Amino acid sequence: CTRAAGGEVLKVVPQESACLACVYGNLAITPDEATSFERVRKATAAYVSDEDVKATIQVGLSSDIIPIANMMVKLTLLELSKGRPSGISSLEKDLAANFYRWANRREHEFKALPEGGFDRFDEPAILRWYPVTIPTNPSCTICQLACFK
């Protein structure tokens, strides 16, 4: 559960790029957003007080989610207009990766990012996109399905 500490965007082009199973394996998707008392109480040890459980309930703020949604839209528009002259065609080389990570704040997997690095571009920092090119897994069972060939 990242509680909107960051986000990921995966661009999947069948037969050209990694799919969700290539990146994450065969996932058992479970809801992990702590948005209701009942859900958090069930996932928290019995000795934790109800007041402490209530303090952990947190939804992703729109300001945390908007960068991820905007990147999804940008990549979709770029893919749909690929190879055609458009106002965003200059981004084809800039946004060539198939996987992007966004760091909202120094928590969870981003906790090691240095403080005060927001204005520096020579080291990792929060509020930044990180592109990753992930190859297709040759043994991916999803990519091997006939409907994807």
Side-chain angles (χ1 to χ4, degrees):
C1 180
T2 64
R3 308 219 189 207
E8 299 170 344
V9 176
L10 173 65
K11 177 177 73 171
V12 178
V13 180
Q15 302 175 17
E16 290 181 26
S17 66
C19 74
L20 188 69
C22 288
V23 175
Y24 297 105
N26 294 324
L27 291 176
I29 304 296
T30 57
D32 63 357
E33 187 173 301
T35 56
S36 72
F37 175 80
E38 292 80 19
R39 181 178 287 169
V40 177
R41 175 78 275 171
K42 190 170 142 183
T44 307
Y47 60 82
V48 176
S49 73
D50 285 352
E51 290 305 311
D52 286 343
V53 169
K54 288 176 185 173
T56 64
I57 298 171
Q58 175 182 348
V59 296
L61 299 173
S62 67
S63 62
D64 292 333
I65 297 167
I66 286 173
I68 291 97
N70 282 342
M71 181 61 110
M72 291 169 58
V73 170
K74 179 81 68 177
L75 290 173
T76 301
L77 292 173
L78 191 60
E79 189 64 29
L80 290 171
S81 64
K82 196 175 199 175
R84 297 185 183 115
S86 69
I88 61 172
S89 59
S90 65
L91 293 175
E92 285 183 24
K93 290 185 179 164
D94 295 316
L95 299 175
N98 62 339
F99 186 75
Y100 296 87
R101 298 195 77 204
W102 172 258
N104 270 328
R105 57 186 176 272
R106 284 177 302 283
E107 291 180 17
H108 304 288
E109 67 267 31
F110 306 115
K111 66 182 172 189
L113 293 177
E115 290 185 18
F118 179 70
D119 60 341
R120 298 193 53 191
F121 293 97
D122 59 344
E123 62 183 42
I126 59 166
L127 301 178
R128 215 170 272 172
W129 282 105
Y130 295 95
V132 181
T133 299
I134 299 176
T136 302
N137 179 351
S139 60
C140 175
T141 55
I142 302 301
C143 290
Q144 302 308 315
L145 293 173
C147 60
F148 291 109
K149 293 188 175 210

